[in-house]
Amino acid sequence: QRRFTVGRRLQRPLAPQRDMAVVGGGAEEVPACGGHDGESLEELLPLEYTRPATLIGFHAVVVPKSLGGDLLKLLGARCPLGPELLHLKRVRLAPEAASASLQVLMCPASGEVPAEVSDFLSARCPGSERSIVQVPEHGALTREQLVDFCRVWPLTFRKPSWEPLVLTDRQRDLYRRLLERALEVGGGRCGCVVADRSGREIAAAADESGPHPLRHAVMVAIERVAGAHLSGAAETKAGASKRPRSEEEYLCQDCDVV
């Protein structure tokens, strides 16, 4: 389910839920909604989807390209990158150096370079330039983050299973209408509307937490969805192989809660 609020962005949830807010400005303007002139819908993303790059130190060495393959094999055996660092590419062209040189990540700066690696460099590339470089601690979850993080060090982008939602014009119109309906139902209090996948309203409710602390708008709306189901909007056919539509609505499957 996707949840929507009317107002400025205050915080981002820590779990990947579909939260949206009406925020001011931006290129994707929508008509006024419930008195919020010049504001548009924007998804409230988990913090990890919008955070800037946080950096950690890494031991690095500059070596000739001809030596890169052998060094990478040794590093893979003696100091492989842990699962939390697999977003890092281990090699890049050495900055401010001849094109025949590579800069290679060896291990985090919090540890020591393995003796086998140091011995290899001393024997095969004496006088190699070693340094501590800064690299992104976390992988990129969006293309925008990838561009930003790669300015520091090249990364491998692994498309996450959960991606930010891109609203179509039709979806924006639907959610704007549902937001206006929720404002109307709330009547100055918090209002909630439950709609099916087609945008048809199933139930709506206003906050009733005054008499009972658990009867906030969402809980009351869900209760009314159950009530509508029990009232017998449609009957289940005996032996039906597919779940009836009324049962899907009762379970709020594929419903929007605004």
Side-chain angles (χ1 to χ4, degrees), residues 153-169:
W153 187 273
L155 304 183
T156 298
F157 182 68
R158 291 176 170 81
K159 187 177 180 181
S161 58
W162 187 90
E163 293 186 280
L165 180 68
V166 178
L167 291 178
T168 64
D169 290 340

Side-chain angles (χ1 to χ4, degrees), residues 6-175:
V6 177
R8 304 283 175 176
R9 180 185 298 192
L10 297 178
Q11 62 182 6
R12 298 186 179 101
L14 296 180
Q17 300 172 331
R18 292 295 188 193
D19 291 340
M20 306 290 289
V22 176
V23 300
E28 297 177 315
E29 295 287 347
V30 297
C33 168
H36 295 266
D37 295 333
E39 296 180 325
S40 62
L41 290 171
E42 183 176 331
E43 187 169 12
L44 297 180
L45 297 171
L47 179 60
E48 56 266 29
Y49 282 75
T50 57
R51 63 189 170 195
T54 55
L55 305 180
I56 57 174
F58 239 85
H59 290 287
V61 62
V62 175
V63 297
K65 281 186 177 181
S66 58
L67 197 60
D70 291 341
L71 177 58
L72 287 176
K73 288 179 182 179
L74 180 60
L75 291 172
R78 299 303 180 187
C79 48
L81 295 178
E84 73 283 1
L85 296 171
L86 291 179
H87 58 280
L88 295 170
K89 290 188 176 181
R90 197 130 201 185
V91 180
R92 72 174 180 182
L93 289 176
E96 302 178 1
S99 59
S101 296
L102 301 174
Q103 190 171 35
V104 183
L105 296 179
M106 293 188 287
C107 65
S110 56
E112 295 293 332
V113 177
E116 295 91 335
V117 176
S118 294
D119 293 342
F120 173 89
L121 293 172
S122 297
R124 301 284 299 276
C125 189
S128 56
E129 178 187 345
R130 302 191 193 188
S131 62
I132 301 294
V133 298
Q134 298 296 309
V135 298
E137 180 179 10
H138 306 288
L141 296 176
T142 66
R143 294 290 179 180
E144 292 77 10
Q145 279 185 329
L146 182 64
V147 171
D148 183 40
F149 291 8
C150 283
R151 293 190 180 101
V152 181
W153 187 273
L155 304 183
T156 298
F157 182 68
R158 291 176 170 81
K159 187 177 180 181
S161 58
W162 187 90
E163 293 186 280
L165 180 68
V166 178
L167 291 178
T168 64
D169 290 340
R170 179 180 176 279
Q171 288 174 314
R172 289 180 180 277
D173 289 340
L174 169 62
Y175 295 140

